Amino acid sequence: MYKLKLGVALAAVAVPSLFGAFVASPLVGTAEAAPRKHVASRSAPIVNRIVFEKNKKVTSDQLAGAMETKPGDPLNPNTLNSDIARMREAYNRAGRSTVQITYREVQLPNNRVDLVFTVAEGSKVGIDAINFVGNNNFSDWRLKRQMATVESGYLGWLRTTDTYDPDRLAGDEERLRTFYVNHGYPDFRVVSIVPSLNDKQDAYVLTVTVDEGQYYKFGPSKVESTISDVNPSDLDGNIQSWNNWTYRGEDVDKSVEDMTIKLAGSGHPFAQVRPRATRDANGNLINVDYVVEEGAKVYIERINIRGNTRTRDYVIRREFDIGEGDPYNKALIERATRRLRNLGYFKNVRVTNEPGSEPDRVVVNVDVEDQSTGEFSLGGGYSTSDGFLGEVSLTERNFLGRGQYVKASVQYGQRTQGYSLSFTEPYFLGQRIAAGFDLFSKTTDDSSYSYYKDETTGGTLRAAFPITENFTVGVNYTLYSEKVTIPDSRFTNNDFSDGEASLAIKELANDGRRLVSMAGYSLTYNTLDDLKQPSAGIYVQFKQDIAGLGGDAKFIKQTIDGRYYYSLTDDLTLMFRGQGGYIHGLGGKDKLAIVDQLSPGPDLVRGFAPGGIGPRDIAGGSKGNGLGGTTYFGGTVELQFPIFGLPREVGLRGAIFADAGTVFGYGGKKFPEFSSTGQRIFNLVDDKKIRSSVGASLLWASPLGPLRFDYAYVLTKAHNDDTQAFRFGTIVNY
């Protein structure tokens, strides 16, 4: 063996021998020397494409999104194993826990490969049953209604949430807790949710064990303040609870939010409201004191918007009433979070905080996930008022990611044809002003009810100004051209025994096309919990329109519509509705055209045909012509309930109702009752009698909006009213 000494030069001739001695040493073992060109190992191939085969229940885009491996990455078997595990998890959430996923490599030139994943999806593993243990005060059925996870049942093909998903069940725990806390059980907790396979080993049985805790009511509540210039009595009106009412956590949260916002607006941006609960276990009472104190002076350093691939940043930022540099206010942050969720632009909205660069700075992170906001509908159906009809509509609720609303639709039906275009900018001129326009053209053939056809074409400019979170003032201007014709010569042959059109209709038809120029305003108060399917809250709208700014029509019209929803239980909703209207002509009496007068028909009292109640000209037969009136009022009581056995996804509910109301006060031109030959040609009947009905309904939260089917039994009516027991309006999507 060669030995090296310090200071002795290494001769070139000694290198081969030294190398050979090194290779032969025990440190190297059996390795053999190789030519230099064989020393470098082959690099990992590059992924060219990723292809999925035989996947139907989960799309290729969803599977690709679950993978860490992307085209252009080096092939890594360990990463691929993790990718397959994540794809299996995506199938588990879709109820396909028996899925099998394999892959193969397709070799390509230049050290590249295609990855081909083959999916054996297997059968759906659903939820056979959900059983509760420990629920003494609420039934299994009622608790199941609170959960997003549902049992498969015989309508499993309609459901998308009847599979075992741990993430969804975690959300169900929170839904159950919220339900109990808002029904007087603040100590409620879910002890466990245990899944097990059923006897057939083809579906899960979930056993949910709960601890309900003790029931409590609200005791006396008061406001205390440690801030010298804050008077507690000024905040008493923001307390949302009453003595001996069932304790509800959401009432406490709403009280804190309202007080905090009021304090911020009165010069105390750092004030915080802390609820302090004192329990009286013997009396089952919780006394809540709201303590106002000065909070830490923390400012917003930055608001980060993340995850929005389509929606513009400013659309998200404008929902915050505070910005960078402003005092941090938790109540305003929570309100902005609620607004973002209500927009309907995002699948998920999450707002979190993190420390800023200084102790008195905080960074607000807004994480969102965009979702589809465009809808294309092609439908056809039948309506008792419009007959058979078809509709094509295109709607975009977040146009170009700017938050603008655009809808274009075309209708063609048996008695109705037309088109419409609507556009709304929710933040006009950078302010919280919803401004927009509507263009419309509609032809309605009312010959089945009033023997005339109405053609209307025009447009509306509108704007809505929110004064508070619940109160809005709207203004509008409408200009339209209108023409009334009598489509059937049988109604103009002066044979008053077989359905002759009223002289009021004939005169309007002879006048040709008329122009209506109308301006108006509206006052709206809205506290509904859900605009599509409300279960609690108040909605009141007062409108007044003035026609006569040019044009041929001259009148003032005012209407009011108020609704109150009260949740008896989470499934039973009681609705009270009151409505009324009044119109009078300008420039003299009897100046109202038949199309200007008020004729709410079945919207006021179900069980009557369109134009079926109110002033009528019965000279043209017993059915006669509905003329409309100058005054109407009415009320409704309705109880809405779920249909037992149907999944929530179907969107069907039932209702029973009672209606009462009247229309009276004909305001059009009066005509001679008899012709020169003694024939009766105008016979006005104007009865103020209260009409009433009771009935049952089916309500459907369809993709095209809330639709319903009503059956009404008339209790009281005037002698010449036109009844219609069924009222049906629906569109079937394809």
Side-chain angles (χ1 to χ4, degrees):
M1 177 178 290
Y2 282 81
K3 294 183 179 181
L4 300 179
K5 295 181 179 180
L6 186 64
V8 177
L10 183 62
V13 294
V15 172
S17 299
L18 180 63
F19 181 79
F22 173 74
V23 169
S25 72
L27 296 175
V28 180
T30 59
E32 297 181 357
R36 184 176 180 86
K37 64 180 180 179
H38 293 148
V39 172
S41 63
R42 183 184 177 188
S43 61
I46 302 300
V47 177
N48 179 59
R49 286 191 311 155
I50 300 176
V51 180
F52 300 94
E53 294 179 337
K54 299 183 179 180
N55 58 304
K56 296 180 180 179
K57 302 302 180 181
V58 179
T59 67
S60 296
D61 289 342
Q62 290 173 315
L63 293 176
M67 294 181 63
E68 183 179 338
T69 302
K70 305 295 181 185
D73 292 347
L75 184 64
N76 186 323
N78 292 330
T79 303
L80 285 179
N81 289 334
S82 299
D83 289 338
I84 290 176
R86 282 189 288 270
M87 286 189 281
R88 284 181 55 85
E89 182 60 30
Y91 268 97
N92 286 340
R93 288 194 294 270
R96 306 276 167 169
S97 57
T98 60
V99 64
Q100 298 294 326
I101 303 175
T102 59
Y103 77 92
R104 66 181 186 274
E105 302 174 17
V106 179
Q107 302 295 328
L108 301 173
N110 301 321
N111 198 28
R112 301 176 72 84
V113 296
D114 284 346
L115 292 179
V116 181
F117 290 87
T118 302
V119 181
E121 294 183 319
S123 59
K124 178 179 176 180
V125 180
I127 302 295
D128 186 36
I130 302 176
N131 301 321
F132 287 86
V133 177
N135 55 315
N136 300 316
N137 296 285
F138 297 100
S139 66
D140 286 15
W141 182 80
R142 193 169 180 188
L143 295 183
K144 291 175 188 178
R145 298 282 299 179
Q146 312 310 315
M147 299 177 64
T149 303
V150 298
E151 296 170 341
S152 297
Y154 66 94
L155 289 174
W157 59 277
L158 288 173
R159 293 179 165 97
T160 58
T161 57
D162 60 339
T163 57
Y164 177 72
D165 182 349
D167 292 338
R168 190 190 306 124
L169 286 173
D172 286 334
E173 286 192 36
E174 182 60 26
R175 293 182 187 94
L176 290 170
R177 191 193 74 81
T178 299
F179 169 78
Y180 268 93
V181 169
N182 288 328
H183 286 78
Y185 296 87
D187 300 325
F188 169 84
R189 66 189 182 97
V190 175
V191 177
S192 64
I193 299 180
V194 179
S196 60
L197 288 173
N198 63 4
D199 294 338
K200 296 181 180 179
Q201 302 291 298
D202 61 354
Y204 285 105
V205 174
L206 299 180
T207 302
V208 184
T209 303
V210 301
D211 179 5
E212 292 182 323
Q214 186 171 333
Y215 171 78
Y216 286 94
K217 295 181 179 181
F218 275 112
S221 297
K222 66 179 184 294
V223 180
E224 300 177 1
S225 175
T226 62
I227 303 176
S228 59
D229 58 342
V230 173
N231 187 349
S233 61
D234 292 340
L235 299 173
D236 286 341
N238 297 107
I239 297 177
Q240 303 295 320
S241 59
W242 298 85
N243 289 353
N244 292 316
W245 278 26
T246 295
Y247 178 86
R248 288 159 46 98
E250 63 182 20
D251 289 342
V252 177
D253 294 341
K254 188 67 169 64
S255 300
V256 170
E257 179 181 323
D258 289 352
M259 291 182 192
T260 305
I261 293 174
K262 185 173 183 177
L263 288 166
S266 61
H268 297 278
F270 298 108
Q272 63 180 16
V273 180
R274 178 172 52 85
R276 184 180 62 203
T278 304
R279 301 192 183 207
D280 177 2
N282 294 328
N284 291 353
L285 295 177
I286 294 182
N287 304 325
V288 182
D289 297 335
Y290 298 91
V291 181
V292 180
E293 52 194 12
E294 198 69 62
K297 294 185 177 181
V298 178
Y299 296 86
I300 297 176
E301 178 177 310
R302 189 172 65 255
I303 298 179
N304 295 326
I305 310 296
R306 305 184 300 203
N308 52 315
T309 58
R310 182 168 179 268
T311 304
R312 312 292 178 95
D313 276 12
Y314 70 83
V315 172
I316 299 172
R317 291 182 183 276
R318 69 193 184 190
E319 297 301 327
F320 287 81
D321 292 328
I322 51 178
E324 283 92 346
D326 291 338
Y328 177 81
N329 188 304
K330 182 180 178 182
L332 292 178
I333 294 292
E334 291 176 347
R335 183 164 74 174
T337 304
R338 187 168 58 251
R339 286 174 175 172
L340 289 172
R341 288 173 177 153
N342 290 339
L343 287 175
Y345 302 162
F346 311 108
K347 289 182 181 178
N348 299 299
V349 176
R350 185 168 177 262
V351 180
T352 56
N353 304 326
E354 64 182 43
S357 59
E358 301 291 339
D360 63 345
R361 297 290 187 270
V362 64
V363 175
V364 177
N365 297 316
V366 184
D367 294 286
V368 299
E369 182 182 355
D370 283 297
Q371 67 178 358
S372 175
T373 54
E375 299 174 0
F376 174 76
S377 298
L378 175 64
Y382 178 79
S383 165
T384 51
S385 60
D386 297 325
F388 290 99
L389 59 91
E391 180 181 74
V392 178
S393 67
L394 181 63
T395 304
E396 174 54 65
R397 294 178 284 111
N398 187 13
F399 184 62
L400 298 178
R402 302 174 185 270
Q404 298 164 334
Y405 176 89
V406 180
K407 181 177 181 179
S409 65
V410 177
Q411 284 186 336
Y412 189 85
Q414 184 178 359
R415 293 193 288 270
T416 300
Q417 303 88 38
Y419 63 84
S420 64
L421 174 65
S422 296
F423 173 84
T424 301
E425 166 55 64
Y427 274 77
F428 184 60
L429 299 178
Q431 303 296 318
R432 194 179 289 275
I433 300 173
F437 65 85
D438 305 297
L439 300 176
F440 54 85
S441 179
K442 186 175 183 180
T443 300
T444 304
D445 185 356
D446 280 341
S447 57
S448 298
Y449 304 108
S450 295
Y451 307 125
Y452 69 87
K453 185 177 181 180
D454 188 9
E455 301 175 21
T456 305
T457 301
T460 297
L461 296 175
R462 49 184 165 74
F465 306 83
I467 306 303
T468 68
E469 196 76 6
N470 301 321
F471 181 64
T472 302
V473 175
V475 294
N476 60 83
Y477 172 74
T478 301
L479 180 68
Y480 62 89
S481 172
E482 186 172 32
K483 184 179 180 181
V484 170
T485 59
I486 303 174
D488 195 324
S489 60
R490 291 178 301 168
F491 306 149
T492 60
N493 60 8
N494 291 319
D495 182 357
F496 284 80
S497 63
D498 63 353
E500 188 76 6
S502 172
L503 292 178
I505 299 173
K506 291 179 181 178
E507 182 181 63
L508 186 59
N510 292 334
D511 288 343
R513 190 169 292 276
R514 63 197 293 261
L515 186 67
V516 178
S517 175
M518 182 170 61
Y521 68 92
S522 64
L523 307 175
T524 305
Y525 180 75
N526 184 0
T527 63
L528 297 182
D529 59 342
D530 188 332
L531 293 179
K532 292 183 178 180
Q533 189 174 313
S535 61
I538 298 172
Y539 177 90
V540 179
Q541 185 177 67
F542 173 80
K543 299 176 66 176
Q544 187 173 62
D545 295 303
I546 303 175
L549 307 176
D552 303 307
K554 298 182 185 300
F555 59 78
I556 297 180
K557 177 175 64 175
Q558 40 271 318
T559 61
I560 187 169
D561 187 357
R563 308 183 190 205
Y564 172 65
Y565 292 85
Y566 179 74
S567 181
L568 297 174
T569 69
D570 297 278
D571 297 310
L572 298 177
T573 299
L574 192 61
M575 187 270 285
F576 300 92
R577 181 185 184 187
Q579 53 181 317
Y582 177 71
I583 185 172
H584 63 277
L586 299 175
K589 295 182 179 179
D590 305 332
K591 291 294 184 180
L592 290 174
I594 183 174
V595 290
D596 296 331
Q597 299 191 75
L598 304 174
S599 183
D603 189 52
L604 182 68
V605 183
R606 282 162 284 193
F608 293 87
I613 59 177
R616 309 181 69 78
D617 176 9
I618 61 172
S622 59
K623 185 175 182 181
N625 293 253
L627 302 178
T630 58
T631 305
Y632 74 87
F633 60 84
T636 293
V637 178
E638 182 171 284
L639 178 65
Q640 301 176 3
F641 50 87
I643 298 177
F644 185 78
L646 285 180
R648 291 189 301 271
E649 295 91 331
V650 178
L652 277 175
R653 292 175 298 143
I656 54 176
F657 62 83
D659 295 339
T662 187
V663 183
F664 60 90
Y666 173 67
K669 181 179 179 180
K670 304 296 195 302
F671 296 91
E673 292 188 9
F674 297 93
S675 69
S676 58
T677 61
Q679 182 182 20
R680 181 179 286 276
I681 57 175
F682 189 75
N683 188 6
L684 177 64
V685 176
D686 192 351
D687 196 330
K688 295 182 180 180
K689 183 175 182 178
I690 300 295
R691 286 79 166 178
S692 62
S693 66
V694 294
S697 305
L698 282 177
L699 290 73
W700 179 34
S702 79
L704 295 180
L707 302 175
R708 61 187 301 152
F709 171 87
D710 298 315
Y711 174 79
Y713 176 78
V714 172
L715 298 177
T716 59
K717 68 183 185 72
H719 179 68
N720 295 106
D721 287 345
D722 189 9
T723 60
Q724 178 179 279
F726 292 95
R727 187 188 181 202
F728 177 56
T730 185
I731 293 181
V732 182
N733 290 322
Y734 294 93

